[in-house]
């Protein structure tokens, strides 16, 4: 399938860069949070049409790699992808106003945290990661944006940082994020339960590298997410 070939090409580029961002995702010097990545796209995106219930996706490569297959997974839906490969939660928090709030969505889908555990922007504790996500949900709520919070996908290892064994930390973070969703009245998407193998990893049938879902993995994720988006958008 075209989407699968494209996803594998993107993943191959990601692997060649040693687990960092795609070349197109590299921020300009001094743009640590990646504000420049979607600045032009945001400027050209019209305001939601009357009655349109836009949904913005914010996240890392697992979100980014869903484009352009996002339109195929959710045909006809006004979904906007603002994922940036290799990003961590503090980076997403810094660009949340530009890449989410200012796009006037009815809801935001947040999938974040695995790169924090991997140490992409320095050591991070579960408390730190959950705190950044909480801040994003608070900003969303303050602007009338409903939240769909996603569990971090399983991973038994990070190919770009093999010293880290993330499986148990991911479980602990997901427990915190689930509590955050419950406390805040947000929708919760449990990707981890749907995808994890007996090691707490992402099996080969769903991933070529143990971290990023392949086409089969996204096919498992799509209906779980769509159900919670629909619930979030109900009056």
């Amino acid at each position: 399938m075209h989407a699968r070939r494209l996803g594998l090409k993107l993943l191959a580029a990601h692997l060649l860069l040693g687990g960092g961002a795609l070349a197109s995702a590299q921020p300009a010097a001094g743009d640590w949070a990646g504000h420049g990545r979607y600045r032009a796209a945001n400027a050209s995106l019209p305001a939601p049409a009357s009655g349109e219930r836009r949904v913005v996706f914010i996240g890392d490569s697992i979100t980014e790699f869903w484009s352009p297959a996002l339109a195929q997974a959710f045909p006809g839906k006004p979904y906007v992808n603002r994922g940036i490969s290799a990003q961590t939660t503090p980076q997403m928090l810094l660009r949340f106003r530009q890449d989410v709030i200012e796009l006037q969505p009815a809801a935001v889908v947040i999938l974040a945290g695995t790169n924090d555990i991997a140490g992409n922007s320095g050591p991070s504790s579960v408390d730190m990661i959950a705190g950044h996500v909480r801040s994003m949900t608070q900003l969303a709520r303050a602007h009338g944006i409903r939240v769909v919070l996603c569990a971090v996908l399983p991973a038994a290892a990070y190919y770009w940082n093999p010293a880290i064994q993330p499986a148990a930390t991911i479980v602990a973070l997901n427990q915190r994020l689930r509590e955050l969703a419950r406390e805040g009245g947000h929708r919760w998407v449990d990707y981890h339960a749907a995808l994890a193998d007996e090691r707490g990893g992402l099996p080969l049938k769903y991933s070529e590298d143990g971290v990023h879902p392949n086409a089969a993995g996204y096919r498992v994720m799509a209906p779980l997410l769509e159900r919670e988006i629909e619930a979030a958008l109900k009056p």
Side-chain angles (χ1 to χ4, degrees), residues 32 86 88-91 113-125 128-129 132 161 164:
W32 181 75
T88 56
T89 55
Q91 293 171 303
T114 200
N115 287 328
D116 301 65
I117 296 171
N120 282 22
S121 57
S124 295
S125 67
M128 291 167 61
I129 303 166
H132 294 141
N161 195 348
I164 294 177

Side-chain angles (χ1 to χ4, degrees), residues 17-75:
L17 287 166
L22 295 172
S24 63
Q26 294 286 355
D31 185 16
W32 181 75
H35 285 97
R37 174 67 190 286
Y38 290 110
R39 186 173 288 125
N42 291 346
S44 65
L45 185 70
S50 178
E52 177 183 322
R53 311 210 73 190
R54 175 176 291 165
V55 178
V56 174
F57 290 50
I58 190 166
D60 50 41
S61 55
I62 295 170
T63 296
E64 181 186 9
F65 289 177
W66 214 332
S67 287
L70 194 69
Q72 300 173 16
F74 308 104

